[in-house]
Amino acid sequence: MLIVNSPVKEIKEIQKDIFLQKIYSPEIAGQIKPGQFLNIRVSETVFPLLRRPFSICDVEGDFIYLMFNIFGEGTRILAHKHIDDTIDILGPLGKGFNITDDFDLAVIVAGGLGSAPFPFLTRLLKDKYEVHSFVGGRTKNDVITYNLLNVQTATDDGSLGFNGNVVQLFEKNLPSFKDKRIKVFGCGPNAMLRALKEVCITHNINCEVSTECAMACGFGICQGCPIESTEQSDKYLLVCKDGPVFNVKDVII
Amino acid sequence: MLIVNSPVKEIKEIQKDIFLQKIYSPEIAGQIKPGQFLNIRVSETVFPLLRRPFSICDVEGDFIYLMFNIFGEGTRILAHKHIDDTIDILGPLGKGFNITDDFDLAVIVAGGLGSAPFPFLTRLLKDKYEVHSFVGGRTKNDVITYNLLNVQTATDDGSLGFNGNVVQLFEKNLPSFKDKRIKVFGCGPNAMLRALKEVCITHNINCEVSTECAMACGFGICQGCPIESTEQSDKYLLVCKDGPVFNVKDVII
Amino acid sequence: MSKVDLSVNISSLKLRNPIMLASGTVGYGNEIAEFVDLNKIGAIVTKSLSLKPRKGNPPQRITETPAGMLNAIGLANVGVEVFLKEKIPFLKKYDVPLICNIAASSVEEYVECTRILNDEDTIKAFEINVSCPNVKEGGLQFGNNLSAVGRVTEKVRAVTDKPLIIKLSPNVSYIHEFAKVVKDSGGDAVSAINTLVGTAFNIFTRKPKVQNVFAGLSGPAIKPIALAKVLEIHQKVDIPIIGVGGIMNWKDIVEFMIVGASAVQIGTLNFIDPTAPIKIIEDLEKYCLQMNIKSISELTGSYII
Amino acid sequence: MSKVDLSVNISSLKLRNPIMLASGTVGYGNEIAEFVDLNKIGAIVTKSLSLKPRKGNPPQRITETPAGMLNAIGLANVGVEVFLKEKIPFLKKYDVPLICNIAASSVEEYVECTRILNDEDTIKAFEINVSCPNVKEGGLQFGNNLSAVGRVTEKVRAVTDKPLIIKLSPNVSYIHEFAKVVKDSGGDAVSAINTLVGTAFNIFTRKPKVQNVFAGLSGPAIKPIALAKVLEIHQKVDIPIIGVGGIMNWKDIVEFMIVGASAVQIGTLNFIDPTAPIKIIEDLEKYCLQMNIKSISELTGSYII
Ligand SMILES: Cc1cc2nc3c(=O)[nH]c(=O)nc-3n(C[C@H](O)[C@H](O)[C@H](O)COP(=O)(O)OP(=O)(O)OC[C@H]3O[C@@H](n4cnc5c(N)ncnc54)[C@H](O)[C@@H]3O)c2cc1C
Ligand SMILES: Cc1cc2nc3c(=O)[nH]c(=O)nc-3n(C[C@H](O)[C@H](O)[C@H](O)COP(=O)(O)OP(=O)(O)OC[C@H]3O[C@@H](n4cnc5c(N)ncnc54)[C@H](O)[C@@H]3O)c2cc1C
Ligand SMILES: Cc1cc2nc3c(=O)[nH]c(=O)nc-3n(C[C@H](O)[C@H](O)[C@H](O)COP(=O)(O)O)c2cc1C
Ligand SMILES: Cc1cc2nc3c(=O)[nH]c(=O)nc-3n(C[C@H](O)[C@H](O)[C@H](O)COP(=O)(O)O)c2cc1C
Ligand code: FES
Ligand code: FES
């Protein structure tokens, strides 16, 4: 864990309302793993007070990338940084995806900004594994396929790809993977992750998901981010420290 | 009184740590008078919460100028505005200097950032009146003579001009004005204005000063800015509404 | 015509919308009228009035704090007589319910002020400020003393038939006990909250930033506290509540109404953006349309816990 | 060697500097140790410990507010036994005074926890949290009940000779009354303040943002209130005070000391910049040099009013 001030080097709107920010941060780039996250202080002032958690979206040499939309005040300030403004990063945080399991085919299932952690994961997987991506959103504007491979899309309103949610799309495609040892990597709203868990448990598929939760510290000292464990009912796991990536078998989402 | 969002067009450091900000604001430029002020919201967020009062430093066509140093968070944010960022201005506020009195010679007495309102005053006076300026500061870095006329300087540490305070310098020069009907315009820390008042009362000189006071609203609704009146002991005057410029005879500084 | 009914009732007082301008933050209406069309506002509450004019505290009276401000104005006001003579004529020109806020140093003074103001038709209701730091009874601050609050309510009630609102102090353990006493003593509604006691010091001079030492904290910093006080009252006492504290935008107003407020007051925000109250009305209407709310009063106490 | 003496005393507890890390904001020290050299800190206070492990509240436990945050963690903790077995060994490696904060549901539980922890030498003092929202006695919250606070202080005092600090609730009318009871019942010091009761609601779902509905407000928003509480105690009761609430930098610490604090605790700031406590120590030293202060303890209660 480090705290570093790193300069913004590029801000791009990769699609309507979705920003990709390139940051020069050799310290973070050198040690972060896909699925881990950063807790970012967007302003030196007391507003906003708390850091904001963001997945590591990608790493290229000494540069890291964040992907986000303007959700509230924090992301608004972040999106309006100028080139060479520095941002205050605490990280790398949490446990990332486990890519040393025994599998042949990686399946990415992402809803909305749940796509954020997958460009980096894809980068690390693509040389060794077959990667398929299912990407969904409410409308076609919410579907983010940036730097993903073998993409199939789904929208709730049918404006792009499959008419329905991305978990249904994934389930529909399961038969095509039936001879492969697959591992699913999911990220998106908790409701989607719950549905994904159900499908994966039913079909006995290895699945890790990156969960979301309000956070204060991001590194285990505030107890602000509990998630119910399937193993122990007498205590919670912490999303920031024990997660944000969990095997679906281990948590009640 | 208006509330306008006006774009910053230029930011210059006219001398070490002293900023001059040029703002395109035809609405304000068209009606503001020297000695009046603006209450500026430097951030859309709740930090800083209150507006910050600034004298009108100068007006040129549709442009207005502010002069300030980085004092705290508010002025820091202001100084870091980018070109074309807009700032939220409430004004013009208060009563400015009265320049319709009967006088031949205008004498400006300014301490530190007390120079701020005088470029504009000088601009309006210089064609009709002789203008002399006495400008002081703790050290030579604090003496701001920008766009002032016939300047004599004073510093507490003797690093520039007269070794002593600016009111002493002014008093020392009084004999040279003895055949003229003079009017003094003062601005600076309240301690300096108190001394200036004493000198002017003693020598029976017409003198107006621009006073400083913590403010919330700037236009008379919060009662946050009282100043003791010499006329009525049962109620205070308000710096923002009845001032900030007062004839020294009317207030106890 | 608007499709949303924004009107609300506080006891027999009908407001065209829930937005009131809080006591002490709009003077007697003159200056704010340059920014706000008063005819569009729910109601306006005067600066606290006392029997005799009060000069108020010496400077410095205010200072800024993180997302808040401290003030110790010291109830500077023109007194009820001057108010009737010099300030009411201006307010008469508008079609906006005028609520007179009264602050006093004794039960008798509260009663006397109310009696003097009561005949003026333009005044539609009274708000009794029992929570000003300078006002004591038996050594205790009025607003922190259950029986004093009960007594003031009862005695003032006896001299007016106009809606009687008691503005409660937040500086107590259980604010609902005070709301209950108000109700039991004949009060029609409560305003919650007045400012919280705070202070700030200059670390170089070691002197208080506000001359009075203790001052009242207002602004967005206190909003979570104000919301909790409103909710506490709403859960325990059946009395109309006017929510006050840290409102900066329409969302804050909705939040106050959800936790139990029938109407709200905007205070510190008037200093920062005096045009905000008008903009907020439009935003509230949009929210109601979006949420399919026919009458904004449906929001009051509509929390789902 | 430093020319400024930064050490302070809280009763018999000597701290190398006035900076303590507040309960609930540094867990049991492990994670924060990655950022802070604990050997440089005045003292570390554990998360509140109870007799049995507590799971705490379900999510969502926290939310942000203007210049503040609300939390309702629900006293999630490992319990005193596990603490002694699994957490103390790590803390033993450091030369930093360890203060155990205890939260309980009854006087007996407070006493029992203290008794169990008392033999552990590493523990240098106790801080009794009487102000947690879930802990009641006779229907009232412990922290808002003078006699309950007196009883806890007295009974815990009876089982330990270590410095006994009572952490006071700010949600009361007159906090100095509680400080007085603590002193009269044998307590050595008070910490002021714990969080203020607040809430926040989602205006679209109408549900509370924090699952527990009511939550504790911390952060810079509450600093003016915390300062006023410390000053109130200092003016009325002769007992060492540990100032807590909204500290973001060295200036805030000086301000707390000026109004009467002998030491301070840093809470929410640890979440935002866990390295801050160390930086602040250096800044404090510079301030003292600049102001010609030989011993930082001269600052305590040095206000000029
Ligand atoms: C592990 C993790 C990784 C994330 N990665 C990304 C990412 O790569 N890209 C992205 O756009 N977003 C991501 N998010 C969500 C992101 O943190 C929020 O969008 C952001 O905090 C919103 O801040 P704001 O100030 O704009 O919104 P506001 O609504 O103003 O924030 C108010 C408060 O709510 C919290 N909050 C709001 N939304 C969320 C949320 N969805 N999850 C957690 N806390 C929230 C904020 O942190 C803040 O404390 C991630 C969240 C987590 C927990
Ligand atoms: C009528 C008037 C005209 C002014 N004109 C100028 C000018 O032209 N140039 C300039 O540099 N400064 C001027 N000032 C002072 C200027 O308002 C303060 O420097 C500024 O508010 C500091 O804000 P900050 O956020 O940087 O400082 P902070 O210390 O962070 O401010 C904290 C609070 O204190 C108040 N405050 C701090 N210093 C002063 C002060 N000296 N006077 C009043 N309130 C203060 C702020 O408004 C704010 O509410 C003027 C003040 C007044 C009343
Ligand atoms: C400068 C100032 C003066 C105030 N004067 C009064 C007053 O005279 N009487 C009163 O009942 N409340 C007074 N208040 C309290 C406000 O009416 C309101 O209850 C409080 O400020 C909280 O709301 P806010 O956070 O929206 O400002 C005053 C508040 C401020 C900031
Ligand atoms: C997330 C969180 C958890 C806390 N847990 C405890 C606790 O277990 N026991 C306790 O006495 N205080 C607890 N506190 C209160 C702090 O110790 C401190 O009194 C309060 O946060 C005010 O200080 P601050 O504004 O610096 O955070 C907690 C505060 C926060 C923010
Ligand atoms: S966010 Fe603080 S413990 Fe997880
Ligand atoms: S600053 Fe509000 S009345 Fe003068």
Side-chain angles (χ1 to χ4, degrees), chain B:
Chain B
M1 278 191 295
L2 300 166
I3 298 183
V4 288
N5 272 304
S6 302
V8 173
K9 286 299 176 185
E10 199 180 308
I11 306 170
K12 266 210 302 231
E13 203 171 341
I14 52 168
Q15 68 188 61
K16 187 165 180 310
D17 297 332
I18 306 294
F19 296 87
L20 194 74
Q21 202 168 61
K22 180 178 184 179
I23 298 162
Y24 176 73
S25 191
E27 306 88 341
I28 301 288
Q31 46 173 283
I32 197 161
K33 301 200 180 68
Q36 287 192 301
F37 69 102
L38 303 167
N39 214 1
I40 290 179
R41 188 171 184 187
V42 301
S43 157
E44 290 166 32
T45 75
V46 298
F47 187 84
L49 184 65
L50 300 176
R51 289 175 181 271
R52 300 292 190 254
F54 293 94
S55 304
I56 183 77
C57 175
D58 206 351
V59 175
E60 254 180 19
D62 288 342
F63 296 92
I64 60 172
Y65 291 84
L66 305 180
M67 183 195 283
F68 56 90
N69 65 351
I70 298 186
F71 184 83
E73 282 295 329
T75 44
R76 195 181 62 76
I77 293 172
L78 199 59
H80 286 88
K81 295 278 174 193
H82 293 259
I83 303 306
D84 285 332
D85 283 356
T86 62
I87 57 173
D88 174 345
I89 303 177
L90 194 164
L93 295 171
K95 304 213 163 76
F97 294 106
N98 179 359
I99 52 176
T100 61
D101 289 357
D102 220 15
F103 64 94
D104 312 314
L105 173 68
V107 177
I108 285 168
V109 182
L113 268 158
S115 292
F118 293 130
F120 189 27
L121 183 71
T122 301
R123 180 187 294 274
L124 297 194
L125 290 174
K126 68 180 175 200
D127 293 340
K128 290 206 211 144
Y129 305 93
E130 197 181 335
V131 182
H132 280 259
S133 308
F134 298 94
V135 185
R138 272 172 302 127
T139 73
K140 68 171 193 271
N141 287 336
D142 305 309
V143 176
I144 308 171
T145 60
Y146 178 84
N147 278 7
L148 300 182
L149 294 176
N150 302 319
V151 177
Q152 288 185 258
T153 58
T155 50
D156 296 347
D157 68 353
S159 55
L160 183 72
F162 175 75
N163 190 341
N165 74 49
V166 71
V167 176
Q168 294 166 333
L169 174 65
F170 161 66
E171 195 172 15
K172 201 171 77 102
N173 280 274
L174 265 182
S176 67
F177 304 136
K178 76 168 181 304
D179 297 326
K180 310 252 170 79
R181 289 176 308 163
I182 75 171
K183 175 160 185 179
V184 172
F185 300 92
C187 185
N190 281 350
M192 171 201 136
L193 299 184
R194 258 192 301 276
L196 183 61
K197 169 176 177 166
E198 219 185 281
V199 172
C200 290
I201 298 278
T202 308
H203 296 86
N204 197 21
I205 297 169
N206 187 4
C207 173
E208 285 183 353
V209 294
S210 178
T211 56
E212 233 183 51
C213 182
M215 291 184 178
C217 70
F219 59 99
I221 59 170
C222 77
Q223 303 279 321
C225 59
I227 185 166
E228 191 88 52
S229 144
T230 40
E231 303 261 293
Q232 313 172 279
S233 65
D234 59 331
K235 66 181 222 188
Y236 287 104
L237 296 169
L238 295 179
V239 172
C240 73
K241 232 188 125 193
D242 303 311
V245 175
F246 293 99
N247 195 299
V248 288
K249 284 188 301 209
D250 298 334
V251 287
I252 303 172
I253 301 165

Side-chain angles (χ1 to χ4, degrees), chain A residues 206-241:
Chain A
N206 187 5
C207 173
E208 284 182 354
V209 293
S210 178
T211 56
E212 234 183 51
C213 182
M215 291 184 179
C217 69
F219 60 98
I221 59 171
C222 76
Q223 303 279 321
C225 59
I227 186 167
E228 191 86 52
S229 143
T230 40
E231 302 262 293
Q232 313 172 278
S233 65
D234 60 331
K235 65 181 223 189
Y236 288 102
L237 296 169
L238 295 178
V239 172
C240 74
K241 233 189 124 194

Side-chain angles (χ1 to χ4, degrees), chain D residues 2-249:
Chain D
S2 157
K3 274 158 286 173
V4 182
D5 178 6
L6 291 180
S7 72
V8 299
N9 298 309
I10 303 289
S11 162
S12 65
L13 188 67
K14 185 166 171 106
L15 310 181
R16 65 168 70 86
N17 64 51
I19 299 177
M20 306 167 52
L21 305 184
S23 179
T25 68
V26 288
Y28 309 108
N30 315 45
E31 292 89 357
I32 197 89
E34 291 211 31
F35 295 105
V36 168
D37 179 354
L38 293 180
N39 291 337
K40 291 194 173 162
I41 292 294
I44 179 169
V45 188
T46 65
K47 173 79 190 157
S48 281
L49 295 166
S50 49
L51 196 55
K52 299 278 160 241
R54 291 177 64 126
K55 189 176 176 184
N57 292 328
Q60 182 168 344
R61 288 181 177 176
I62 55 163
T63 194
E64 186 169 312
T65 67
M69 64 175 281
L70 288 167
N71 89 79
I73 306 298
L75 296 177
N77 81 91
V78 298
V80 289
E81 305 284 0
V82 176
F83 173 75
L84 284 176
K85 248 197 338 237
E86 295 176 15
K87 305 293 177 185
I88 283 267
F90 175 82
L91 289 160
K92 265 192 201 300
K93 295 190 282 182
Y94 293 91
D95 171 31
V96 60
L98 173 66
I99 299 176
C100 268
N101 181 298
I102 299 174
S105 320
S106 67
V107 175
E108 295 67 37
E109 189 185 340
Y110 276 113
V111 171
E112 192 54 23
C113 289
T114 313
R115 202 197 303 271
I116 293 169
L117 295 166
N118 197 45
D119 290 340
E120 174 54 60
D121 278 348
T122 317
I123 299 168
K124 292 294 182 280
F126 292 103
E127 181 179 69
I128 302 297
N129 177 2
V130 290
S131 37
C132 23
N134 304 315
V135 182
K136 304 203 167 151
E137 162 118 337
L140 271 183
Q141 286 176 8
F142 241 96
N144 296 2
N145 182 331
L146 272 178
S147 64
V149 169
R151 211 155 47 248
V152 171
T153 309
E154 196 184 307
K155 299 290 184 191
V156 172
R157 172 77 301 164
V159 299
T160 183
D161 290 330
K162 296 182 181 175
L164 177 59
I165 303 158
I166 311 293
K167 183 162 181 184
L168 300 178
S169 164
N171 305 295
V172 299
S173 302
Y174 300 104
I175 199 169
H176 73 270
E177 297 177 348
F178 290 81
K180 175 134 196 346
V181 160
V182 167
K183 184 181 160 84
D184 294 346
S185 309
D188 294 308
V190 294
S191 296
I193 57 177
N194 212 314
T195 53
L196 283 136
V197 176
T199 194
F201 275 69
N202 179 311
I203 60 164
F204 297 105
T205 63
R206 303 191 191 177
K207 288 187 189 156
K209 287 194 181 167
V210 172
Q211 177 67 23
N212 190 55
V213 185
F214 291 102
L217 183 65
S218 66
I222 70 169
K223 191 188 71 163
I225 301 172
L227 287 168
K229 300 283 185 193
V230 170
L231 179 58
E232 180 194 330
I233 297 170
H234 191 268
Q235 289 182 325
K236 306 244 164 120
V237 187
D238 182 21
I239 191 167
I241 307 164
I242 300 164
V244 204
I247 290 172
M248 290 298 284
N249 53 47

